[in-house]
Amino acid sequence: MADEMKTASAPRVSVIMSLYNSEKFLTVAIESVLAQTFSDFEFILIDDGSKDSSADIVESYQDSRIRLFHQKNSGLPAALNRAITEARSDIIARMDPDDVCLP
């Protein structure tokens, strides 16, 4: 990430997740991230061309830390690389849609 993209208001951590037809476990994963006791993070989700309701689930959350991006299906590596380019922090935490974070 280019240094000029960073600002004093950038979050300390960027949590990234790629979605592809992930609706089955997605709500639990999102809620586990949002429920963290540490709150200085952004949550970047890349919808990698899902054909289910994954994007709708993400869009149902009204949390300013969530940043959803859409792209045509390009595979996990491309989606994660996109998420990293969108990240505003140097610290990246990676989640899968079926992961759960403990507080």
Side-chain angles (χ1 to χ4, degrees), residues 38-53:
F38 178 83
S39 62
D40 188 11
F41 64 87
E42 64 181 343
F43 192 7
I44 300 169
L45 299 105
I46 306 296
D47 179 22
D48 191 34
S50 295
K51 300 195 182 326
D52 67 0
S53 63

Side-chain angles (χ1 to χ4, degrees), residues 32-95:
S32 76
V33 172
L34 297 179
Q36 293 302 296
T37 56
F38 178 83
S39 62
D40 188 11
F41 64 87
E42 64 181 343
F43 192 7
I44 300 169
L45 299 105
I46 306 296
D47 179 22
D48 191 34
S50 295
K51 300 195 182 326
D52 67 0
S53 63
S54 295
D56 294 333
I57 291 169
V58 176
E59 290 170 349
S60 73
Y61 287 89
Q62 302 299 312
D63 191 303
S64 61
R65 296 172 293 183
I66 293 176
R67 299 174 60 211
L68 174 64
F69 299 90
H70 302 273
Q71 66 182 33
K72 68 178 184 139
N73 183 250
S74 302
L76 182 61
L80 293 176
N81 284 334
R82 167 86 187 274
I84 291 168
T85 64
E86 299 292 348
R88 296 182 295 150
S89 175
D90 288 332
I91 301 171
I92 305 290
R94 186 169 111 55
M95 289 278 297

